[in-house]
Amino acid sequence: MVITQPKPFSEILQFLEGKKNIFITGCSLCATSCMTGGEKEILAMEQKLLEEGKQVTGYAVLDPSCNKLQARATLKKQKQVLDSSDAILCMACGDGAQTVAGLVNVPVYPANDTMFIGEVERIGHFSEACRACGQCELGWTAGICPITRCAKSLLNGPCGGSRNGKCEVNPENDCAWVLIYKRLKELNELDQFMEIKSPKDYSKASNPRRVTVGK
Amino acid sequence: MGLKQKLESGGFAVTTEMAPPKGTDFKRFKECALAVKGMVDAVNVTDFQSAVVRASSLGAAAILVEEGLEPVMQITGRDRNRIAIQGELLSASALGIKNVLALTGDHPSFGDNPQAKGVFEMDSVNILQVARTLMGGKDLAGNDLAGTPDFYLGASVTPVYDPMELQLLKMKKKIQVGARFFQTQAVFDIELFKKFITAMGDIDAKILVGVIPLKSPGMANYMNKNVPGIFVPDEIIERLRKSQDRVKEGLKIAAEFINEVRQQKLCDGIHIMAIGAEENVPALLEMCDLDSAA
């Protein structure tokens, strides 16, 4: 899931300076789970904008915001309202906001900061687990990603900064390499660790990336 | 005799570490280096140690060569991608730098420009790997070089580490890609160091044990609390606390440790890290029972 966090309201107000009539879009998937762009959060945002003297012309929870065809169909039904709006405030991830921005002729402003691809540990608790590096390493690391979970994304084992199994960069985090070592040992696959890993092929992660599924 | 010859012929090597200045004034750097000339086999130049902006290790190592000292150039993967690392290594060789010590590098968050993006495209193992590739006459992508470097390659190891097996496995990987000598994190407890040497078993590499002359009990407590892999025993902290001249006592403690590892033939040399008090290194070396390096 794409994890988002609300931007400070003051930053949003700066975007919306001089704009009176605001249309709000949300997203039915990730942003709803992150409580940053579901119907509940949209209504709360509407209230705050009204208190700032703005008009909210309408809102739509896109299903989801990153699906161009779905978003286009939903926004088409709101064409009249959108035409009378000065701005759209998009309560989705950075992808969702760009999808909306590509479909309308009014300025689109993000209400959220996009943080990472992560897992939902429990409601409201998210942790980063995948950096989308383009070449998955989990097959030899006992299912623990060193690219994401090691602060230095090291490929050949821990640095000297691990202490009591924790990372010195953030002692709240486990050292990914101590975790990988222990798990590989349990699985009797420690020989995987001994293979020299060459630096990753970053040509596979050259932005922007595109995937087309062939027939 | 150079560092490589000294170590490979079974001698007891002495190296000391110096940080390049923060600025362009190399006066103190040169003075401290010249003061140990003839007393050490090589001077180890740190590479933006603790992620702090300074003159580069390549520049400082070249200045040491000019001054007639043998440098060990440290190089980390924190600030450079594979193009820069290869270029730096080629330049080093052309400037007469023969010893390279590969490190992963401290995280930028510990430095004085914590907003910096850490590169870490290559870890210590990869840097050794690429140095060896260059020594074979090719770059990492397999392209030919005009002129081939020749390095004596080193790396680091932490003798106090849990789990120890993991540290030793990584050490083996470094050896597999060309590391011949290791400088260790600073050790203060000889028994812990013996444990590490025993745990190494038949691992074949030259070990330079790290020595930090302590300046105060506060410094020892700080390192115990904050520096992974460092353990200063209580009795040493107590000795410092009770002494009249703490700096001198710190040098004495370091000299006793150095003489002990030498007498007991526990390792192949020492690596002194004076951390800002480089002017004390000649005094420390005079307190030790060592052969002249010249």
Side-chain angles (χ1 to χ4, degrees), chain A residues 44-184:
Chain A
M45 178 64 79
E46 177 180 28
Q47 196 53 44
K48 284 172 87 173
L49 291 174
L50 291 176
E51 282 164 20
E52 295 294 329
K54 307 283 184 193
Q55 291 290 326
V56 174
T57 54
Y59 72 87
V61 180
L62 301 174
D63 187 20
S65 187
C66 61
N67 186 322
K68 196 172 183 177
L69 297 180
Q70 291 282 358
R72 177 185 285 149
T74 307
L75 292 174
K76 212 170 180 178
K77 290 179 197 153
Q78 306 268 4
K79 191 177 180 307
Q80 261 189 327
V81 189
L82 284 171
D83 284 344
S84 68
S85 303
D86 303 315
I88 295 180
L89 183 62
C90 181
M91 298 175 70
C93 67
D95 190 303
Q98 291 188 65
T99 308
V100 174
L103 294 170
V104 295
N105 283 320
V106 280
V108 172
Y109 298 106
N112 296 329
D113 287 322
T114 304
M115 304 306 290
F116 50 82
I117 301 175
E119 64 188 39
V120 187
E121 289 171 350
R122 57 195 159 96
I123 292 175
H125 291 249
F126 311 105
S127 61
E128 187 176 19
C130 174
R131 293 267 299 269
C133 71
Q135 188 182 19
C136 193
E137 306 286 352
L138 291 172
W140 61 278
T141 58
I144 297 160
C145 177
I147 302 295
T148 313
R149 294 175 67 180
C150 165
K152 299 176 183 171
S153 298
L154 301 181
L155 279 178
N156 283 293
C159 70
S162 160
R163 198 174 210 204
N164 304 323
K166 298 291 180 181
C167 174
E168 71 170 342
V169 177
N170 180 354
E172 279 180 23
N173 292 336
D174 292 320
C175 168
W177 277 105
V178 171
L179 292 181
I180 292 169
Y181 159 78
K182 286 185 173 162
R183 190 81 185 114
L184 282 175

Side-chain angles (χ1 to χ4, degrees), chain A residues 151-152 154-158 160 162-163 168-169 177 181 185 190 193-200 202, chain B residues 82 104-105 107 110 120-123 125-126 129 161 163 165-166 169-170 173 176 224-228:
Chain A
K152 299 176 183 171
L154 301 181
L155 279 178
N156 283 293
S162 160
R163 198 174 210 204
E168 71 170 342
V169 177
W177 277 105
Y181 159 78
K185 202 168 171 174
L190 208 50
F193 176 84
M194 287 312 291
E195 202 180 304
I196 304 290
K197 294 291 169 185
S198 291
K200 277 180 88 70
Y202 285 96
Chain B
R82 71 189 75 187
T104 294
H107 196 274
F110 294 107
F120 299 115
E121 181 178 323
M122 305 183 95
D123 58 23
V125 172
N126 295 146
Q129 198 183 7
Y161 189 92
E165 186 192 22
L166 179 54
L169 290 176
K170 184 151 186 197
K173 287 178 91 165
Q176 210 181 316
N224 272 347
K225 198 170 163 227
N226 296 300
V227 186

Side-chain angles (χ1 to χ4, degrees), chain B residues 105-122:
Chain B
D106 293 321
H107 196 274
S109 59
F110 294 107
D112 65 352
N113 281 245
Q115 305 84 355
K117 180 178 181 181
V119 179
F120 299 115
E121 181 178 323
M122 305 183 95

